[in-house]
Amino acid sequence: MAVVTALPGSEAHASKLAARLGIDHVSIELRRFPDGEIYIRMDRVDDHVVIVGSLYPSPAERFLELAFLAATARDLGAKRVGLVAPYLAFMRQDVQFQPGEGVTSAYFARMVSNTVDWMVTVDPHLHRHVSLGGIYSIPTAIAHAAPAIADWVRREVKDPVLVGPDAESEQWVAAVASACQAPFVILEKTRRGDRDVSVSEPSREWNGHTPVVIDDIVSTGKTMVAATRRLREAGSAAPMCVAIHAVFADAVHDELVAAGATGIITCDTIPHASNRICVADPIAEATKRYL
Ligand code: R5P
């Protein structure tokens, strides 16, 4: 039999998953010693332990917690340990952009592959890595947010046109567009620095529609802000911004509204006030194959 357990901050996800899978959610004690080191204790394991943890915020610390929890589970008798990471960190450094840089997505994949037996995640940032199998040596499965986002768009937006702010976003935008039968356009993004982003001018062809800007990650929010500004400059209605992963390295909402957006909503892969779209069902479906 299997049990589900959670890294700190992912308890709600673990409960939803356990309920959908019809198995127990076992709580753990995980805290810091006064010097910052990690104390961990599990009351119960089973043959198979499913650890749920969005590896955010502070993905480096979250990884050490994951490694200690997986090792504790194995010491206590678990024969298999899987990871359900609704948000998979470290995926964006997927190539050496500058000489001498580390390709941390690949190093992180190696570390996770040495820690757990399988992994499920939601829409990882696959761009220059075309599949998780290219860097992860364990079985992996991807749950997709597009059907849930499409449901939200169908319910909430009249005459939508979906807008991808950059080439990477096309995979998600096209999937949502096909599921809700809406037109879509993809802009071109130039990133000159962490917070220095511009996007190309959109065509005015869809100006009678309501733009929905869709991206996988909102971090500093500069991508969403740049796309919003460009759309408004081209005479479009106020766009709604939708992201899968609410990373929010910076507070974004006010800047986005000042740029002319209605607001921003996200899927619940990372707990955040902007979460409006639940992806627990696709996560549970993807996890079932390993149980
Ligand atoms: C990168 O290509 C991703 O798809 C997102 O566009 C990016 O992470 C967004 O970052 P930011 O919010 O900092 O502009």
Side-chain angles (χ1 to χ4, degrees):
M1 274 294 286
V3 292
V4 171
T5 192
L7 292 179
S10 292
E11 292 83 0
H13 259 302
S15 292
K16 286 183 198 165
L17 182 63
R20 281 164 176 77
L21 298 175
I23 58 180
D24 287 346
H25 173 193
V26 174
S27 43
I28 59 162
E29 185 181 357
L30 196 157
R31 62 177 173 82
R32 293 288 183 277
F33 285 109
D35 59 4
E37 292 187 1
I38 295 170
Y39 171 88
I40 192 162
R41 191 177 64 79
M42 290 184 87
D43 277 335
R44 191 184 135 204
V45 297
D46 215 312
D47 283 352
H48 199 160
V49 171
V50 179
I51 300 174
V52 181
S54 258
L55 299 170
Y56 194 82
S58 309
E61 279 206 35
R62 294 283 92 77
F63 174 74
L64 198 56
E65 292 171 353
L66 167 68
F68 285 166
L69 184 52
T72 304
R74 290 190 208 279
D75 268 355
L76 296 177
K79 295 182 182 63
R80 298 190 77 208
V81 178
L83 169 65
V84 174
Y87 171 64
L88 183 58
F90 288 112
M91 286 298 289
R92 282 170 292 172
Q93 185 73 20
D94 54 4
V95 73
Q96 249 190 2
F97 296 98
Q98 304 290 335
E101 287 179 351
V103 184
T104 47
S105 52
Y107 313 151
F108 187 65
R110 224 177 287 151
M111 291 160 71
V112 173
S113 298
N114 287 331
T115 301
V116 293
D117 301 304
W118 54 265
M119 181 181 75
V120 166
T121 190
V122 179
D123 291 311
H125 187 81
L126 288 172
H127 183 51
R128 281 155 285 248
H129 297 306
V130 290
S131 71
L132 287 177
I135 48 174
Y136 281 78
S137 57
I138 51 172
T140 56
I142 296 177
H144 294 288
I149 297 175
D151 283 347
W152 184 89
V153 172
R154 259 195 302 264
R155 264 197 331 269
E156 304 288 337
V157 187
K158 195 163 173 292
D159 292 333
V161 53
L162 311 186
V163 181
D166 55 23
E168 283 114 309
S169 66
E170 180 160 1
Q171 54 187 301
W172 299 288
V173 176
V176 176
S178 137
C180 63
Q181 310 244 296
F184 71 93
V185 293
I186 303 296
L187 309 180
E188 276 172 40
K189 177 166 84 180
T190 308
R191 185 181 283 284
R192 288 169 295 272
D194 290 343
R195 292 179 174 77
D196 186 4
V197 170
S198 56
V199 300
S200 58
E201 191 182 335
S203 95
R204 291 166 188 254
E205 187 187 351
W206 300 103
N207 273 4
H209 293 242
T210 304
V212 181
V213 184
I214 299 180
D215 205 356
D216 61 334
I217 293 170
V218 58
S219 179
T220 66
K222 297 301 180 206
T223 301
M224 290 294 199
V225 168
T228 297
R229 277 208 187 105
R230 280 304 217 173
L231 284 160
R232 296 311 303 270
E233 283 162 11
S236 91
M240 176 50 103
C241 299
V242 179
I244 301 173
H245 304 295
V247 167
F248 285 108
D250 295 346
V252 170
H253 185 268
D254 291 354
E255 198 183 347
L256 257 181
V257 171
T262 314
I264 181 159
I265 62 140
T266 58
C267 299
D268 61 354
T269 58
I270 297 173
H272 188 265
S274 63
N275 290 169
R276 294 287 180 284
I277 300 173
C278 175
V279 291
D281 285 339
I283 290 176
E285 277 314 304
T287 304
K288 277 179 191 164
R289 75 180 68 180
Y290 296 118
L291 298 182

